[in-house]
Amino acid sequence: MGMSLDADLLDRWTKLAGPQARVVGEDLVRRYREPHRRYHTVEHLAAMLAVIDDLAADAEDLDAVRYAAFFHDAVYAVDGTDNEEASARLAETALPALGVGAGTVAEAARLVRLTGGHHPDPSDRNGAVLCDADLAILAADTAAYAAYTAAVRAEYAHVPDPLFRSGRAAVLAALAGQPALFRTPTARARYESAARANLAAELATLTVEQAREPGAE
């Protein structure tokens, strides 16, 4: 399965960037297979690309959105604070060398940076598609959502439970507090209600676990 997925991703990459770009594609796949990753993996990238396919009609520059997907987690350090910036800079270096136009490079890099907060402007159609694809996992069914949360916890295995719970709860609460998790009409109709149910359930579980911690009021 793993090697087949790698081949599929490389095929998608060379169709997007051209056969001369294969070495860059192989490097990107290798990055998403780094051993410290548990969620930000080739499976996540493939899932994002599939959602982008579904939302293609909502994008203004579909190539830029797809380039951004390939690069958005290319640099991923669990304790890093500038992963998106480093990934965007990698795109700004790699894509011009492949002959990608300056406008597409700039847009792809902008979109990569946008995934740091998932707050596209209402008029930002490309940003809406990329962010919706990145967050689509929030609407997964019960088993897939449990696998997702377990993978995120595994990436942060070095963080003690109380710190992880408080940090995770803060992230989820910020997401849940947004007027809309998804920006494209298609994704909002397809994912919004399920994602909100998953967020509420996980937050409730975290709240119970926090209440059981030693010293909790």
Side-chain angles (χ1 to χ4, degrees), residues 54-174:
D54 288 343
L55 303 179
D58 291 306
E60 290 183 345
D61 186 343
L62 192 54
D63 282 356
V65 175
R66 286 177 170 143
Y67 278 124
F70 272 102
F71 278 94
H72 84 290
D73 285 328
V75 177
Y76 184 73
V78 174
D79 57 352
T81 58
D82 64 344
N83 289 329
E84 291 82 12
E85 178 61 28
S87 296
R89 289 179 181 173
L90 182 65
E92 289 170 333
T93 299
L95 292 178
L98 300 177
V100 179
T104 300
V105 173
E107 179 65 353
R110 181 190 73 81
L111 292 169
V112 171
R113 292 183 171 100
L114 192 63
T115 61
H118 301 100
H119 293 298
D121 290 334
S123 62
D124 184 359
R125 291 174 57 187
N126 293 333
V129 170
L130 184 69
C131 290
D132 284 1
D134 202 18
L135 295 179
I137 184 62
L138 297 179
D141 63 29
T142 302
Y145 192 84
Y148 152 66
T149 58
V152 171
R153 184 66 185 101
E155 282 190 342
Y156 289 88
H158 61 288
V159 178
D161 283 342
L163 286 178
F164 177 81
R165 288 176 188 136
S166 62
R168 178 71 177 169
V171 169
L172 297 181

Side-chain angles (χ1 to χ4, degrees), residues 14-31:
T14 55
K15 286 179 179 176
L16 176 65
Q20 80 286 354
R22 185 175 179 85
V23 171
V24 173
E26 290 171 345
D27 176 66
L28 288 170
V29 170
R30 179 192 59 77
R31 289 170 178 271

Side-chain angles (χ1 to χ4, degrees), residues 162 165 207-217:
R165 288 176 188 136
T207 300
V208 169
E209 290 172 345
Q210 287 173 313
R212 291 173 177 165
E213 290 169 5
E217 293 295 334

